[in-house]
């Protein structure tokens, strides 16, 4: 039986990979203007913009905010999954 715990864990996995795909699209010249790039931008930019406000690019070019965002997402995931395990199991 696949419980809510599994569904939430899968949602975090999907969003994690969406963030990675969006960051990788930035390496390709016109990939963010594609259909998939625009969809990923609408889903990922609100989350990434939180970190871009506080973390400036290094040397004006290297943006490390996605790395911090992925680490923060991991910690949020661990917290929510721990809470769900206390509630559900």
């Amino acid at each position: 039986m696949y419980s809510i715990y599994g569904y939430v864990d899968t949602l975090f996995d999907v969003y994690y990979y969406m963030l990675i795909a969006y960051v990788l699209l930035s390496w390709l010249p016109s990939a963010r203007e594609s259909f998939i790039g625009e969809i990923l931008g609408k889903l990922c930019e609100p989350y990434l913009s939180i970190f871009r406000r506080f973390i400036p690019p290094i040397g004006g070019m290297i943006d490390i905010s996605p790395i911090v965002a992925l680490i923060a997402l991991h910690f949020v995931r661990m917290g929510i999954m721990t809470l769900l395990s206390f509630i559900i199991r």
Side-chain angles (χ1 to χ4, degrees), residues 20-32 34 36-38 40:
I20 291 175
Y22 185 66
V23 170
L24 292 176
L25 283 178
S26 70
W27 294 354
L28 303 172
S30 63
R32 283 196 179 172
S34 69
I36 294 173
E38 288 180 10
L40 287 176

Side-chain angles (χ1 to χ4, degrees), residues 39-84:
I39 290 174
L40 287 176
K42 289 178 183 177
L43 294 171
C44 296
E45 271 303 320
Y47 179 67
L48 290 173
S49 67
I50 296 169
F51 298 94
R52 288 190 178 129
R53 270 188 267 155
F54 300 109
I55 304 168
I58 297 174
M61 287 181 51
I62 302 172
D63 186 15
I64 63 165
S65 61
I67 297 169
V68 177
L70 288 171
I71 293 169
L73 183 66
H74 176 71
F75 283 116
V76 168
R77 176 186 192 168
M78 287 178 16
I80 289 176
M81 299 313 282
T82 302
L83 286 174
L84 281 176

